[in-house]
Amino acid sequence: MTSTDLHLWHPFTHEGGDPAPLVIRRGQGVFLETADGRRILDAISSWWVNLHGHSHPAIAEAIARQAARLEHVLFAGFSHEPAEELATRLGKIVPAPLRHIFFSDDGSTAVEVALKMALQYWRNSGRPEKCHIVALENAYHGDTAGAMSVSDASPFTAAFASFRLPVLRTHAASCAHCPVNLTRATCHIECLQKLERLLAERGQEIAALIVEPLLQGAGGMIVHPEEFLSGIRRLTAEYDVLLIADEVLTGFGRTGKMFACERAGVVPDFLCIAKGLTGGFLPLAATLTTDRVHEAFTGADRARAFFHGHSYTANPIACAAANANLQIFESEPVFERIAAIEEAHAARLPAFAEHPHVANVRHIGSVAAMELKVPDAGYLSSLRPRLYEFYLDRNVLLRPLGNVVYILPPYVITPDQLDDVYDVIRDSLVLLS
């Protein structure tokens, strides 16, 4: 690096401590190719965004066609065909009550939009006292101020404690570490009782509850029972509290359904989507909501407007990528691929569950995780960098969440490739001996 070169500061990276980043020059299917010719199997979909494999030609071609026609136009006072088409396509797959879509840039901004809309909804409705947000233990919703506030305390938020907004916290259904000391075999989702008490006591002050439905991602790939999510919906409806479903990770098939809420028969008041929306090609996010919410922002008084936006809102190229991505769900056997991945997880995980160094295993849809027994459990576990290096040395991209190793592959991974990933994880357990 010469004196005029800028240093690249990478996200979630220990500057000066982590190894130098690998330079990737090409991606194809489940593989990434480094500048020196190595082929690395991407077993985490490049931070959970890639659905159909790297460089899928249908999405690449859609991007090229759109870029040649219209690269961008401001979305305030204007619209364009790719956004209109995307709204129509999404309207066919989201629950019917979610009829209004607000575009943004990424998962954090989709969450920020939902939080701000929820708060302003009650203000516009003459109920400004409903101004508190409820969030779950172990939650992670992003890194912007509001999203970071509703995320639980963690190494991600520790440096910004004074910057985070106050949030009411309730139990998550973390069955492996039950917050009420029960077992899943005999419990009746008693972890909901704390939420029920909170809503009974303070429901008149609470604007919304935000949840990662069925799967808490960065908190440790924690899988919740479907009854937990349906119980949350029942309670929020009973106490007139808006429900925000953060499906940034879980959307677009990750849990075996197009959206995780479908598995529990739940329709939220807000649905936040991002990551897989463009198939892993470009940043794009959206927050969908209901007629009830939207109506509170209409009328003659301009102060009722939602004064929020982003320069690249509904970027036409990103919308074109999203349309091509959704077309793939119609033209290729995507859900058959997801089912095959889930079957492979179910076949391989039991052996890990019996391993002396594995505390527990869990899976849902295309996502599998195993929690390893270590003396310093958590995101900063000393085992994590050793595992990461081991996997890369074996040409597999797995990025453990501390002592939790997870697999979240592109849907086009083959059974043999997935077996190879499991074999590498099995071999890595020698590091705990």
Side-chain angles (χ1 to χ4, degrees):
M1 185 172 72
T2 70
S3 59
T4 58
D5 289 336
L6 289 176
H7 166 70
L8 296 177
W9 194 339
H10 295 264
F12 292 95
T13 298
H14 179 200
E15 291 288 301
D18 286 346
L22 298 176
V23 177
I24 302 300
R25 66 181 179 186
R26 183 177 293 112
Q28 188 68 47
V30 297
F31 288 102
L32 300 167
E33 184 179 315
T34 66
D36 60 0
R38 290 174 57 193
R39 276 166 43 95
I40 298 174
L41 195 157
D42 183 357
I44 60 167
S45 301
S46 285
W47 260 347
W48 322 343
V49 301
N50 189 281
L51 301 186
H52 313 296
H54 291 281
S55 303
H56 192 291
I59 303 177
E61 290 165 10
I63 289 171
R65 288 194 303 270
Q66 184 58 46
R69 185 163 55 245
L70 172 66
E71 84 299 345
H72 188 61
V73 62
L74 73 161
F75 210 59
F78 292 87
S79 191
H80 50 75
E81 184 179 347
E84 301 285 348
E85 179 184 345
L86 181 53
T88 298
R89 286 183 176 275
L90 287 170
K92 295 176 181 177
I93 61 174
V94 300
L98 299 171
R99 308 316 306 161
H100 305 274
I101 183 168
F102 192 98
F103 286 111
S104 59
D105 298 345
D106 56 30
S108 294
T109 56
V111 167
E112 294 281 339
V113 167
L115 294 171
K116 291 175 70 173
M117 276 187 181
L119 292 171
Q120 189 175 345
Y121 165 80
W122 291 112
R123 179 183 178 88
N124 286 4
S125 301
R127 301 280 307 278
E129 73 279 5
K130 287 177 77 70
C131 59
H132 295 289
I133 304 294
V134 178
L136 271 57
E137 297 162 350
N138 306 311
Y140 174 81
H141 296 286
D143 299 321
T144 51
M148 183 176 63
S149 295
V150 292
S151 302
D152 204 353
S154 72
F156 303 152
T157 64
F160 315 108
S162 62
F163 189 58
R164 296 170 68 209
L165 305 171
V167 168
L168 303 174
R169 195 73 56 180
T170 191
H171 289 322
S174 305
C175 296
H177 305 279
C178 178
V180 292
N181 299 313
L182 297 174
T183 64
R184 181 68 189 100
T186 59
C187 86
H188 296 88
I189 318 296
E190 282 86 350
C191 49
L192 279 173
Q193 292 174 356
K194 182 178 181 180
L195 174 61
E196 187 164 18
R197 291 193 299 269
L198 177 61
L199 294 178
E201 294 169 4
R202 303 186 62 179
Q204 70 280 3
E205 307 169 28
I206 296 172
L209 179 149
I210 184 168
V211 61
E212 298 162 87
L214 301 186
L215 177 67
Q216 291 183 299
M221 293 298 166
I222 301 166
V223 178
H224 296 165
E226 293 173 11
E227 297 90 337
F228 178 70
L229 180 58
S230 59
I232 287 177
R233 173 73 284 188
R234 173 180 54 81
L235 290 170
T236 52
E238 179 180 347
Y239 289 96
D240 201 15
V241 168
L242 300 173
L243 177 60
I244 302 169
D246 175 357
E247 294 235 25
V248 170
L249 161 61
T250 54
F252 304 102
R254 287 298 183 193
T255 68
K257 295 288 187 181
M258 186 62 82
F259 299 104
C261 285
E262 293 179 47
R263 293 184 63 128
V266 164
V267 178
D269 299 289
F270 296 93
L271 180 70
C272 303
I273 56 176
K275 288 195 182 293
L277 179 54
T278 65
F281 274 70
L282 289 167
L284 182 67
T287 305
L288 295 101
T289 191
T290 62
D291 286 343
R292 175 194 178 186
V293 172
H294 181 260
E295 181 63 24
F297 292 82
T298 63
D301 184 0
R302 293 195 67 226
R304 294 167 65 86
F306 186 55
F307 293 111
H308 181 103
H310 303 268
S311 299
Y312 283 94
T313 293
N315 173 260
I317 302 174
C319 288
N323 286 321
N325 167 48
L326 293 180
Q327 179 59 43
I328 291 169
F329 276 90
E330 299 178 15
S331 60
E332 298 185 18
V334 177
F335 281 98
E336 292 177 21
R337 294 168 179 163
I338 294 169
I341 294 170
E342 187 163 19
E343 289 175 7
H345 290 328
R348 290 297 305 261
L349 282 173
F352 286 88
E354 299 299 320
H355 194 283
H357 294 309
V358 177
N360 64 80
V361 301
R362 44 196 180 255
H363 71 98
I364 182 171
S366 66
V367 185
M370 58 191 76
E371 190 170 334
L372 306 183
K373 295 177 182 177
V374 295
D376 58 345
Y379 187 78
L380 297 181
S381 172
S382 59
L383 178 64
R384 186 266 176 198
R386 296 164 58 209
L387 287 171
Y388 181 65
E389 183 178 3
F390 183 97
Y391 299 141
L392 279 185
D393 285 346
R394 295 283 292 270
N395 292 322
V396 174
L397 173 56
L398 289 165
R399 192 176 170 90
L401 294 161
N403 61 305
V404 176
V405 179
Y406 70 91
I407 305 171
L408 201 158
Y411 300 148
V412 293
I413 194 168
T414 67
D416 287 345
Q417 290 166 341
L418 193 50
D419 265 339
D420 289 344
V421 173
Y422 271 107
D423 289 346
V424 170
I425 296 174
R426 179 201 60 206
D427 294 347
S428 75
L429 297 182
V430 69
L431 297 177
L432 287 89
S433 299

